[in-house]
Amino acid sequence: MPILKSLGVADSKVPRAGTLPLRSSRNPFEEVPGLEEEEVGELGTLPNGTSCRRRRATLEKLAGLSPFRLGWTPGRRVGSPGDGPPRSFLGRMLTPGIRRSSADFGLLARLQGTRAQGDEEAAGEAARRLAFLRLGRGPKPHRASLAERVVPAGEAAPEPPPKVPEPPKMKEPLSVLEILSLIQQRELARADEHILELEAEELASSGGGAPGPPAAEGAGGGRRARDVALLYEALQRELWALVRETLAGPGPGAGAGAGVVAQLGQVLLQEEAADGRRGPGAARKLRVRWAEAVGRAARERLEAAAPGAPGGLAGQLEALRARLLEDMGVVRGRLAPAYPAGLGAFGVYLRGYHGALAEWLGAAARRRLPLGDRYALLHWHNQVYPREVLGLVDLVALENGELGPLLSPGTLRGLEDECVTDVKAQTRAALLRVLQENEEHWARTEDRPSSLAQDVCELLEEHTERAPRISQEFGERMAHCCLGGLAEFLQSFQQRVERFHENPGVRELLPDTYISRTISLVNCGPPLRALAERLARVGPPESEPAREAAASALDRVTRLCHRVLADLLFQELQPYFNKLMRRKWLNSPEALDGIVGTLGAQALALRRMQDEPYQALVAELHRRALVEYVRPLLRGRLRCRSARTRSRVAGRLREDAAQLQRLFRRLESQASWLDAVVPHLAEVLQLEDTPSIQVEVGVLVRDYPDIRRKHVAALLDIRGLHNTAARQEILAVARDLELSEGGALPPPRDRAFFSDISVPRPPFCLGLPPFPGRLPLRRLARPGLACLPRLRPPSPSRPPSQR
């Protein structure tokens, strides 16, 4: 009995297991000091005739036998007011109401390893001893109830006394390792409650101040503060690991996951309430750290999704979009409802993903990206993310209003500037390369359609269509940039076309393909002109000079090609025009039939031209054909000396005008203003009275403002009108209209007619002054001096004697 010896109990007073009789009237523990006898009533007699009185030891008395209560002496009651708190770690482990620290459990773990074998032997010995004692006591006798002992026989039993409620049991404080075990089992809310109690004990032991750094290593308060800090670290590790795990997916334990998420939210609420008690300087701010943990978990999720995506940056952005939608769906459907409503969990997760995405995009924007990746980044930032991600999120649920921008305005502006710079450089090089390739084909004999305009439009539209989808301002900047590049390209194109047509060897070596090449060059104009107009409409107001430069270059190219085609055509028609206004012309329509036939045949080749330049070319051919038709008439190739001749010439003019009108209507000419010029001239030739001629001349001057008095005079000469008074009256109409025009601008080129017809200079007539105030002809005494030949200046090469 080593334990009883240590307690001062004689070994002789303790019955031996081998010598204790099974039935005895003596209690084997009656000699044990410190044990008091407790009467339990008459329990009857044993089979040997002796009375049996049991002695029981209370829990308090048995506790005095504990070998772990050092300082106990025989005869002194354990737990008396004079006893102090147990000082050994085992005493603290087994004494109720005392919290075991982390140091105690560390020592206990070391002891358990060295005494494992002894504990097994002691446990076996104790089991055998308890079995022996049960055999010594015999069967448990029947104990009379309290009513049987107090109430005599035959009387009614009184009502039992009211039951006194037992005092509430004191909550057993958990040790540090037990709290740690709760954390590892993810009973987080309960573990946090015990940590808060431990922190309160630490505050009480330190005098009620705010928690601070741990005290000295050997002090109890410092050890408790260190335990609190370690437990908070373990708790936060589990909390933030839980944040990461719940975002990864529901997994097999979706229901259990919702439970731990609810515990996480409960911990945050408990700590937020505790922060109010701690004060601002000692607040742990777990709610802020929770938001940071959500941001870290979101960053890990996004970084894991992006690198493996194919397709460069565009593919990575698409993977980010899919991951965002997937995770926000998990948050909305499973995680956010599990949190307490006051935490605003959905907004915290949304802001965490928004911030993680902003970091990822910022890192991508700082890299040197190719042009296509910059476009993809800007489009995803400005369009895809707001429409396909934030558009599916209820932003009203956010606590602090709208989310901030993913990229700063300066970063966005820098990306746009880089895009504009790269587009300007790339398109300039690409356009020049395309122009060079097409120019090489111009001089080749094979006739193949040109793709110059299509290539240019595709190069520029790739940028002008993508930029407006990013933002309107960026679209305007890109349109201005592309319009400037287009204007520069068209100026180079104009120079190449001029050089091509100025080369006489090309026309001689490629007679069959020259016209086809020219038509192909003309066909480049309409799509490029439409592109320039569209870019000018989209671009800012300062794009107008570039649009005008582009239009001017295209106009020059079109006019040059039209002039080349018209010259080639009228070179072929010139023999027929030389036969006009002659005696044979009055009797035979051969010349005009040749003109009409040739124009109709060439119209088949001109049909390959696009509508806009074709209409312009046909109108020019219409105007030029009538100019060439009227030119020999006004140059005096034919003179009418009788009314019959004038009538024949006028009739022939009307017939030819009708035939030409039918031709150009068939060619879809829009120059209908030319249809009346020849009939007006025929009327002037055929009319006899001066007023009618004046009216017709007035109509001519009104409809064709470029007609001059020299043209009217030439027409009067053809009709044979030599009457000075009649001529003066008719020419006065043209003079008055000329004077009324004053400084009016000449008609545009496409409306000019008589200005392209040069007539011989008329004789100097004194009766027809070129301006008012000259001496009239009727004041001259001799009418024969009315018209004199115009004086010529002396030639410097002739000597004065020969002048």
Side-chain angles (χ1 to χ4, degrees):
M1 296 292 184
I3 297 178
L4 296 181
K5 287 181 180 180
S6 63
L7 299 176
V9 180
D11 187 34
S12 61
K13 298 182 180 180
V14 180
R16 297 291 182 178
T19 61
L20 184 64
L22 294 177
R23 300 178 186 270
S24 175
S25 61
R26 185 179 181 185
N27 194 327
F29 291 97
E30 62 181 356
E31 302 296 335
V32 179
L35 297 182
E36 298 178 358
E37 187 178 50
E38 181 179 334
E39 295 292 339
V40 296
E42 188 66 32
L43 301 179
T45 58
L46 296 175
N48 58 3
T50 60
S51 60
C52 180
R53 299 179 60 86
R54 299 185 62 194
R55 297 180 182 177
R56 301 179 62 194
T58 62
L59 181 60
E60 291 81 358
K61 297 171 185 176
L62 288 176
L65 298 177
S66 173
F68 311 118
R69 297 295 297 265
L70 301 182
W72 174 87
T73 57
R76 183 177 180 183
R77 188 178 178 86
V78 179
S80 60
D83 291 338
R87 297 185 179 275
S88 68
F89 82 95
L90 292 178
R92 292 195 301 270
M93 296 282 285
L94 300 179
T95 302
I98 301 300
R99 188 187 299 275
R100 280 78 69 192
S101 66
S102 58
D104 296 339
F105 281 91
L107 181 57
L108 179 60
R110 291 193 296 272
L111 290 176
Q112 286 178 347
T114 58
R115 298 180 58 183
Q117 183 178 359
D119 290 344
E120 294 177 0
E121 296 177 358
E125 183 181 355
R128 291 191 300 271
R129 187 172 298 168
L130 289 175
F132 173 77
L133 291 177
R134 291 192 195 99
L135 293 176
R137 279 167 29 188
K140 182 176 181 180
H142 172 72
R143 295 181 60 184
S145 64
L146 182 61
E148 293 175 354
R149 294 197 302 269
V150 176
V151 180
E155 295 184 10
E159 296 181 1
K163 188 176 182 180
V164 180
E166 296 182 359
K169 296 182 179 180
M170 293 185 60
K171 187 177 180 181
E172 181 75 14
L174 299 183
S175 66
V176 175
L177 290 183
E178 289 171 329
I179 298 174
L180 182 61
S181 177
L182 291 178
I183 295 174
Q184 294 172 350
Q185 297 171 9
R186 288 195 170 172
E187 297 184 18
L188 304 176
R190 186 179 167 199
D192 185 62
E193 292 177 359
H194 288 283
I195 296 175
L196 292 175
E197 292 177 2
L198 184 60
E199 185 181 27
E201 293 178 7
E202 193 272 334
L203 287 174
S205 64
S206 62
E217 188 67 27
R223 184 170 59 248
R224 189 177 294 111
R226 187 172 60 252
D227 290 342
V228 171
L230 293 175
L231 288 174
Y232 266 117
E233 291 179 4
L235 178 65
Q236 291 184 58
R237 280 195 299 270
E238 285 298 321
L239 291 176
W240 313 151
L242 180 62
V243 170
R244 291 192 302 272
E245 294 170 7
T246 52
L247 277 176
V260 293
V261 170
Q263 290 196 51
L264 191 155
Q266 185 63 30
V267 170
L268 295 177
L269 292 180
Q270 293 173 180
E271 288 295 328
E272 191 172 20
D275 284 346
R277 298 189 298 270
R278 293 183 183 116
R284 296 190 182 274
K285 301 179 180 178
L286 252 64
R287 190 166 178 177
V288 176
R289 297 183 182 181
W290 167 55
E292 296 173 354
V294 170
R296 289 193 298 271
R299 189 181 309 112
E300 294 174 0
R301 294 280 295 168
L302 296 181
E303 290 176 354
L313 185 62
Q316 295 178 8
L317 293 172
E318 179 61 24
L320 290 179
R321 184 193 67 84
R323 178 57 57 86
L324 280 169
L325 293 178
E326 175 188 353
D327 288 0
M328 294 313 298
V330 171
V331 171
R332 179 188 292 275
R334 185 167 56 87
L335 298 183
Y339 281 98
L343 291 177
F346 185 77
V348 172
Y349 276 87
L350 180 60
R351 292 183 187 280
Y353 272 90
H354 186 81
L357 184 61
E359 293 181 7
W360 194 94
L361 293 181
R366 287 189 292 272
R367 299 197 301 266
R368 180 61 183 173
L369 298 174
L371 181 60
D373 287 350
R374 285 199 209 97
Y375 273 133
L377 181 59
L378 288 172
H379 181 258
W380 199 91
H381 176 276
N382 289 13
Q383 299 296 328
V384 176
Y385 182 67
R387 183 181 63 250
E388 301 185 14
V389 179
L390 296 184
L392 305 177
V393 175
D394 185 12
L395 295 181
V396 180
L398 296 178
E399 295 179 356
N400 300 327
E402 296 182 357
L403 298 169
L406 290 174
L407 297 176
S408 64
T411 303
L412 292 175
R413 184 73 178 187
L415 289 173
E416 292 177 358
D417 292 342
E418 292 176 359
C419 285
V420 170
T421 302
D422 287 355
V423 166
K424 184 181 297 184
Q426 293 182 13
T427 53
R428 178 182 300 168
L431 292 175
L432 290 178
R433 183 173 60 253
V434 169
L435 181 59
Q436 182 66 30
E437 293 174 357
N438 276 267
E439 187 181 13
E440 293 175 357
H441 290 287
W442 295 349
R444 296 181 182 178
T445 56
E446 65 271 11
D447 186 10
R448 71 170 194 175
S450 175
S451 62
L452 177 64
Q454 181 180 357
D455 295 341
V456 172
C457 291
E458 288 178 356
L459 283 172
L460 296 180
E461 287 174 354
E462 177 185 359
H463 308 289
T464 57
E465 291 179 358
R466 296 182 68 176
R469 291 199 294 263
I470 295 173
S471 68
Q472 181 180 357
E473 180 184 1
F474 185 47
E476 293 178 358
R477 296 183 60 196
M478 187 59 67
H480 180 63
C481 169
C482 292
L483 182 57
L486 179 61
E488 182 179 352
F489 163 78
L490 290 178
Q491 292 174 359
S492 300
F493 176 63
Q494 173 199 340
Q495 296 172 1
R496 305 289 178 94
V497 172
E498 291 174 351
R499 187 163 59 242
F500 171 73
H501 287 299
E502 290 173 357
N503 187 4
V506 174
R507 187 178 304 183
E508 295 174 359
L509 295 176
L510 306 172
D512 298 333
T513 60
Y514 183 72
I515 295 177
S516 178
R517 287 280 187 275
T518 305
I519 292 176
S520 298
L521 294 177
V522 172
N523 286 339
C524 294
L528 297 178
R529 188 185 303 273
L531 177 61
E533 295 291 338
R534 186 168 63 253
L535 294 179
R537 287 194 302 269
V538 175
E542 53 267 24
S543 301
E544 187 61 23
R547 186 201 65 80
E548 293 177 355
S552 176
L554 288 175
D555 289 341
R556 291 192 183 95
V557 170
T558 303
R559 285 197 299 268
L560 175 61
C561 293
H562 283 176
R563 187 175 70 248
V564 168
L565 293 174
D567 289 344
L568 291 175
L569 180 58
F570 280 94
Q571 284 178 5
E572 188 176 353
L573 293 175
Q574 193 60 42
Y576 299 104
F577 284 114
N578 292 335
K579 297 178 182 180
L580 296 177
M581 308 305 163
R582 299 183 182 276
R583 296 285 180 183
K584 188 177 180 180
W585 164 74
L586 285 174
N587 301 321
S588 172
E590 178 186 355
L592 189 65
D593 290 343
I595 293 173
V596 173
T598 304
L599 285 173
Q602 294 294 334
L604 296 176
L606 300 178
R607 286 289 184 180
R608 294 181 297 172
M609 198 175 296
Q610 294 192 16
D611 289 341
E612 181 182 352
Y614 175 78
Q615 295 294 337
L617 177 59
V618 169
E620 175 62 20
L621 293 178
H622 192 178
R623 186 194 70 85
R624 190 165 175 179
L626 290 178
V627 167
E628 295 297 329
Y629 182 86
V630 174
R631 187 193 307 276
L633 176 65
L634 295 183
R635 292 184 69 86
R637 186 179 295 177
L638 182 66
R639 298 282 180 173
C640 300
R641 301 184 181 276
S642 64
R644 182 175 176 275
T645 305
R646 289 196 300 269
S647 178
R648 289 182 61 191
V649 171
R652 189 64 185 168
L653 289 176
R654 292 189 186 96
E655 291 177 3
D656 291 352
Q659 191 173 356
L660 290 173
Q661 183 177 354
R662 288 191 299 269
L663 169 66
F664 286 105
R665 282 183 180 178
R666 190 170 67 250
L667 297 180
E668 300 178 0
S669 173
Q670 303 296 326
S672 59
W673 61 280
L674 294 169
D675 294 339
V677 60
V678 176
H680 284 317
L681 297 177
E683 290 294 328
V684 171
L685 292 177
Q686 190 175 9
L687 292 174
E688 296 296 335
D689 56 318
T690 301
S692 298
I693 297 175
Q694 286 179 321
V695 172
E696 201 65 35
V697 170
V699 173
L700 269 174
V701 175
R702 182 197 64 192
D703 294 343
Y704 304 96
D706 60 336
I707 192 172
R708 294 293 178 262
R709 281 176 293 176
K710 62 182 180 180
H711 299 104
V712 178
L715 189 58
L716 296 179
D717 291 340
I718 293 168
R719 100 180 288 279
L721 181 60
H722 300 293
N723 188 345
T724 305
R727 290 176 65 93
Q728 182 179 0
E729 292 176 0
I730 295 172
L731 293 176
V733 176
R735 182 188 62 193
D736 293 341
L737 290 176
E738 289 180 8
L739 295 177
S740 64
E741 292 178 2
L745 296 176
R749 175 67 183 171
D750 58 347
R751 300 286 294 186
F753 186 84
F754 288 98
S755 58
D756 286 349
I757 300 175
S758 61
V759 296
R761 302 182 68 178
F764 178 70
C765 297
L766 298 178
L768 299 174
F771 51 86
R774 282 299 181 94
L775 184 65
L777 183 63
R778 61 179 176 268
R779 293 186 180 182
L780 293 178
R782 299 176 60 183
L785 299 178
C787 295
L788 300 176
R790 184 178 298 273
L791 297 178
R792 295 181 180 179
S795 175
S797 60
R798 294 174 60 188
S801 59
Q802 297 179 359
R803 295 178 183 174

